[in-house]
Amino acid sequence: MSSTPENRSRTTSPTPRVVVIGAGIVGCSLADELTARGWTDVIVLEQGPLPAPGGSTSHAPGLVFQTSPSRTLSEFAKYTVQKFGSLRIDGVPCFNQVGGLELATTPERLADLHRRAGYAAAWGIRGKIVGTARCKELWPLLDESIVLGGFHTPDDGLARALLAAQAQMERAAQRGARFLDRHTVTGIEREGGHVTAVVTDRGTFAADHVVSAAGFWGPVIGRMAGIDVPLQPLAHQYVKTKALPELGDHAEEASRPILRFQDRDLYFREHTDRIGIGSYAHRPLPVDPFAVPPYDEARARDMDMPSSYPLTEEDWAPSWEDCRRLVPALRDSAIEEGFNGVFSFTPDGMPVLGESRRLRGFWLAEAVWVTHSAGVAKAVAEWMVDGRPSLDVHECDLTRFEEAQRSPAYVRARGAQQFAEVYDVLHPLQPMEQPRPLRVSPFHARQEQLGAFFLEGGGWERPHWYEANAPLVDGLGPGEPPVRDAWSARYWSPVAAAEAKATREKVALYDMTPLRRLEVTGPGALAFLDHMTSNNLRKKPGAVTYTLLLDETGGIRSDLTVARLAADRFQIGANSPADLDRLVRHAPDDVQIRDITSGTCCVGVWGPLARDLVQPLTRDDFSHEGFGYFRAKETYIGHVPVTAMRLSYVGELGWELYTTADLGLRLWDTLWEAGRDLGVIAAGRSAFNSLRLEKGYRAWGTDMTDEHDPYEAGVGFAVRMDKAGFVGREALENRPESNRRLTPLLLDDPAHVVLGKEPVHVDGTPAGYVTSASYGYTLGRCIAYAWLPVLPAGAAVHIEYFGEKVPATVAEEPLFDPKMTRIRR
């Protein structure tokens, strides 16, 4: 069907006009979710034939393992299981709940499965660690002599992706959606920064919203819209064996759990009397999305479909030997068919979702696997219809990548590494190795000279500790810090304890350059920021205010520090590119917003001797009376012009000193030289995180998100309900009483450490999960913050760490210096 002039010129509709590009599992799921919410003017365009158009959905093996280190991905997968389990086509269910089984053949993997079982308990997914005998019972074809145990998840299973797509297509069509195959998109029309239409080889379709759900063709569609889509398609090997008599004679497509042999990067599933096997063990095989042939051309090249390339036998051979070792029945079998299937990876392995600010009305729902498809579609539909998803999706927001992380070379390299690490045992602090270093602060050379151990965040090299401080470890007391287990000792050093102690007792320099800085100027700046945030910003220049960026439901979109440097000039300490995106979207014409992060830098000077270090370097009064807490001054430190803010994220006296990047090294050297006689050190983020948790300072995106309101997150002090008209005020005024809190816990045993995302058991039942955790070197206990039901101080709980129930106690805040005497002196 081609469009007509009527299609093109129609400008009125009971609901917004939506064009979805791609009729794979994501596009069909989205059409179903949108029409179910009343947006029925939906057209889904597909370049291939329906119902099997030739993208990744057409060849997907359909494995749905719900457990992930990401709570968001697990919630997406849980919804996919729930939804697909309710769908049928001609009586055939769209989900086969055979369960999942992940195997361990090494002690390291078995330990990791215990960690995964913890994730499952934290996110509300049924699962348990089972022994070798139970693994053999669930999968009789295994060679149990090499299996140490497994993780069994009875609610996982197989999604019949094409059937699920068809079922949702039919439901959406009954509500008014149209699905048009053999329509190749050739352009995206726009006017005034807003999308207006989708152009195809068979006509043009007017649109108020366009959603790219094109899978690995996403970058192609993005280019038409002038939008970068940070996605790298890669080919992944999948084969089917010949018929195996050992599988028995049964009519079901599959009856045994889907199987993961992650120690060899393999997975297995039944196809009635055959076994399907997928491998991530081979070298990354990147595919250029601009060179993928269309459906008919692919068929002419003897490809089954555009997403299916010939199997590269040389890559498969080692995996076949591993398969035959695990499943002896395969030793007398052979591969009947196989291919290299194309699907999508991003630099961080997460989907890319949301509306582009550069082209309003243009949405992405890309890099989504079948596992998460229905959950992603629900979130995007909520986002479009209601203005926000009901689930926190900041890990998937298309704004999360920095400009430096969007180059084709970066996306290709990181996407390939994501492929290689799909089944690796990864530590939560483990950074990618290449391309590094990418972003460095002006202090980087000095940090290297001090033996900095760098980890990475947002492309930035961030020192976590300095080997130059190793001699300070000898000054710690007996048993300080306690000996760690092998897992928590990775990407950690006892030097962090010495750096924390030095900060508490003397003075330390912290590189705060990677923290995002925005400049907001213009006649309307004050009114705009006061409306967008929760605290009172109507203060004289020189004031600094901690405030919240809320959404219309009262959820915490971010927390900010706002310094009023002049009547119409503000500097904001923000968290992510999403903060800039949100502010720019809402800014009136008389307000200008700039991201100044890359052109500036910051040193945190903190500790009881901070004033002794800084005061001799400036003519301005840095006394408590002359420079109060949460105040700002533009001054000079030696020869360097700085914006000084009396803030402390570590609970000690001190200042954040900002200057331009070209003067950063001079600022560092000036402070370092002046601090020699005071015993100044450079300190890293490992000590920083410990100190901030001792003070109970929240980290947005980890401790709180837009799923939480300020009062349950413990930051209600940053809300001024007597201020009229700020975003989220009405929702907070009418909010129901919450029965959950972000709760501080102290582990009872000084030798125990947890890292975050562990389940917390109350009265023997999982009741919540840890957000941030770190050893509190001043307190001599590990601190863990967790989302839990409201509990009194002193209540006993248990944190599950690698299968062990570690006792902890609910504590009162703040844990350290409750009267703030150390900061306000």
Side-chain angles (χ1 to χ4, degrees), residues 31-55:
D32 183 47
E33 295 288 339
L34 286 171
T35 55
R37 287 166 174 77
W39 280 24
T40 55
D41 193 349
V42 176
I43 296 174
V44 183
L45 301 174
E46 174 54 57
Q47 64 179 342
L50 292 174

Side-chain angles (χ1 to χ4, degrees), residues 536-559:
N536 175 31
L537 301 186
R538 295 185 179 276
K539 303 172 183 176
K540 294 179 180 179
V544 183
T545 306
Y546 176 79
T547 188
L548 305 174
L549 197 62
L550 304 178
D551 64 19
E552 288 72 13
T553 71
I556 304 170
R557 290 289 296 260
S558 188
D559 62 340

Side-chain angles (χ1 to χ4, degrees), residues 78-324:
K78 286 165 64 178
Y79 184 75
T80 298
V81 168
Q82 172 192 333
K83 184 176 187 182
F84 290 3
S86 70
L87 299 176
R88 280 172 168 70
I89 287 286
D90 298 328
V92 178
C94 294
F95 188 76
N96 185 0
Q97 204 158 47
V98 293
L101 179 62
E102 302 180 44
L103 299 177
T105 59
T106 65
E108 294 77 15
R109 181 67 63 179
L110 186 59
D112 188 60
L113 293 186
H114 278 283
R115 187 166 61 105
R116 290 182 62 77
Y119 292 145
W123 314 146
I125 298 166
R126 289 201 304 156
K128 65 179 181 178
I129 300 296
V130 297
T132 301
R134 179 58 174 156
C135 292
K136 178 73 170 179
E137 182 181 345
L138 291 166
W139 246 82
L141 274 62
L142 294 176
D143 178 357
E144 70 271 29
S145 69
I146 66 171
V147 176
L148 301 182
F151 175 43
H152 180 223
T153 47
D155 299 326
D156 290 339
L158 293 165
R160 297 182 173 97
L162 285 176
L163 287 185
Q166 184 179 344
Q168 293 177 99
M169 189 187 311
E170 291 177 0
R171 294 204 313 194
Q174 289 172 0
R175 302 185 192 112
R178 291 185 291 159
F179 293 79
L180 308 178
D181 64 0
R182 299 292 189 173
H183 280 63
T184 299
V185 174
T186 58
I188 306 292
E189 292 188 352
R190 50 200 132 158
E191 184 177 337
H194 201 289
V195 70
T196 58
V198 177
V199 182
T200 77
D201 59 349
R202 300 177 66 181
T204 298
F205 298 85
D208 302 302
H209 297 274
V210 173
V211 186
S212 177
F216 58 79
W217 283 288
V220 178
I221 301 300
R223 181 175 291 182
M224 296 178 193
I227 304 300
D228 291 332
V229 180
L231 174 162
Q232 176 60 55
L234 287 112
H236 161 64
Q237 296 196 308
Y238 191 78
V239 303
K240 291 181 183 178
T241 68
K242 291 184 176 180
L244 289 176
E246 291 84 352
L247 288 176
D249 185 15
H250 55 84
E252 298 94 344
E253 179 190 15
S255 59
R256 296 174 178 85
I258 50 177
L259 185 70
R260 276 175 167 168
F261 182 21
Q262 290 153 301
D263 288 323
R264 289 295 181 269
D265 297 306
L266 294 165
Y267 63 82
F268 302 77
R269 58 152 294 180
E270 294 174 281
H271 291 278
T272 312
D273 59 350
R274 291 163 171 77
I275 294 179
I277 308 167
S279 172
Y280 293 98
H282 55 86
R283 62 194 166 93
L285 299 168
V287 173
D288 180 357
F290 295 90
V292 175
Y295 188 91
D296 293 325
E297 184 179 331
R299 302 282 287 185
R301 296 187 193 179
D302 293 327
M303 296 167 61
D304 184 48
M305 60 187 78
S307 60
S308 177
Y309 284 71
L311 182 72
T312 48
E313 300 282 355
E314 66 278 12
D315 293 309
W316 171 250
S319 290
W320 182 234
E321 293 306 312
D322 290 328
C323 295
R324 297 165 78 182

Side-chain angles (χ1 to χ4, degrees), residues 139 299 324 363 367 373 509 584 592 682 689 747 774 804 809:
W139 246 82
R299 302 282 287 185
R324 297 165 78 182
W363 296 76
S373 55
L509 305 184
V584 169
Q592 294 78 46
N689 199 46
L747 276 63
S774 181
E804 180 185 359
T809 301

Side-chain angles (χ1 to χ4, degrees), residues 357 360 399 516-521 525-534 537 547-550 557-562 570-589 591-595 727:
R357 174 166 49 87
R360 302 292 180 88
T399 63
R516 183 166 303 279
R517 292 172 292 283
L518 309 178
E519 182 183 72
V520 182
T521 58
L526 174 59
F528 167 65
L529 290 174
D530 205 44
H531 168 70
M532 292 297 295
T533 66
S534 63
L537 301 186
T547 188
L548 305 174
L549 197 62
L550 304 178
R557 290 289 296 260
S558 188
D559 62 340
L560 312 173
T561 54
V562 180
F570 296 80
Q571 181 172 309
I572 295 178
N575 285 296
S576 76
D579 297 343
L580 173 65
D581 184 81
R582 182 165 177 81
L583 291 173
V584 169
R585 283 176 184 271
H586 291 85
D589 292 340
V591 174
Q592 294 78 46
I593 303 173
R594 285 196 310 136
D595 187 329
V727 175

Side-chain angles (χ1 to χ4, degrees), residues 440-518:
V440 298
S441 80
F443 324 129
H444 188 257
R446 298 294 184 263
Q447 292 165 346
E448 287 187 311
Q449 291 167 4
L450 293 170
F453 181 86
F454 293 99
L455 296 178
E456 185 204 36
W460 288 100
E461 295 296 318
R462 301 184 178 199
H464 274 242
W465 66 84
Y466 294 84
E467 286 301 324
N469 297 324
L472 299 179
V473 175
D474 296 336
L476 300 174
E480 293 184 65
V483 176
R484 291 198 176 204
D485 65 275
W487 184 253
S488 65
R490 293 183 66 186
Y491 304 102
W492 173 85
S493 168
V495 172
E499 293 177 357
K501 180 181 169 81
T503 306
R504 291 277 186 241
E505 295 180 354
K506 294 184 179 180
V507 61
L509 305 184
Y510 287 82
D511 181 2
M512 306 303 290
T513 300
L515 298 186
R516 183 166 303 279
R517 292 172 292 283
L518 309 178

Side-chain angles (χ1 to χ4, degrees), residues 753-791:
V753 174
V754 299
L755 300 180
K757 299 189 178 182
E758 296 87 358
V760 181
H761 298 255
V762 178
D763 296 330
T765 301
Y769 58 91
V770 174
T771 57
S772 293
S774 181
Y775 199 85
Y777 301 111
T778 316
L779 303 177
R781 291 286 190 279
C782 183
I783 305 162
Y785 272 78
W787 280 103
L788 290 171
V790 177
L791 296 170

